[in-house]
Amino acid sequence: MSTINMSIRVDPELKAQAEYVLNQLGMTMNGTINMFLQQIVREKAVPLNLSLNAEQSLYADLLFAQSDRAKGFIGRSAQDALADMDSIIAAAESQTDQ
C-alpha cells in the first residue's frame, strides 16, 4: 500500500502535550492519526464528542446505547477492542517504517 505525506498546522505546545500523552500510551502521533482516519472511514462519522455540557453528552450516549441494545446490538469485549487497536497500531507503524 502506498502512502502520502500530509502537512497540518498545529500549535507547537499542543503537539508537544499530545506527544507526551501518546508516548505514555506507547503510541505515535502518526499511528494515532492513522487510527483516527481509519475510524472515520469505518464509522462514516467523525469520532468526536462535541459538547458544552459533559453530563448531557453522557446522558445522550447512554440513551443511544440503550436504544442500540433494544435493537439487538451486542457490544464487544474490551479485550477484543484492545486487540484490534494493537493490530491497527502495528499496521500503521509498519507503514511508517517503509
Side-chain angles (χ1 to χ4, degrees):
M1 179 165 112
S2 65
T3 61
I4 64 164
N5 289 325
M6 289 178 46
S7 177
I8 61 171
R9 292 185 179 135
V10 64
D11 177 76
E13 183 64 26
L14 175 62
K15 180 181 181 282
Q17 290 172 352
E19 284 178 328
Y20 177 76
V21 172
L22 293 173
N23 285 335
Q24 290 180 325
L25 295 170
M27 300 170 68
T28 64
M29 184 71 71
N30 189 55
T32 302
I33 290 171
N34 276 300
M35 283 190 332
F36 180 71
L37 295 174
Q38 288 173 353
Q39 187 172 2
I40 289 171
V41 171
R42 183 179 61 251
E43 295 181 9
K44 295 180 179 35
V46 178
L48 297 175
N49 184 0
L50 305 174
S51 173
L52 297 177
N53 185 339
E55 288 180 20
Q56 286 179 349
S57 176
L58 176 60
Y59 183 67
D61 289 345
L62 291 172
L63 288 177
F64 185 75
Q66 183 180 31
S67 171
D68 278 351
R69 282 194 305 278
K71 295 175 188 171
F73 177 77
I74 298 173
R76 301 176 57 211
S77 73
Q79 186 175 9
D80 289 344
L82 289 172
D84 285 349
M85 288 172 51
D86 287 341
S87 297
I88 291 167
I89 291 168
E93 288 176 341
S94 71
Q95 290 175 2
T96 61
D97 293 339
Q98 296 177 2

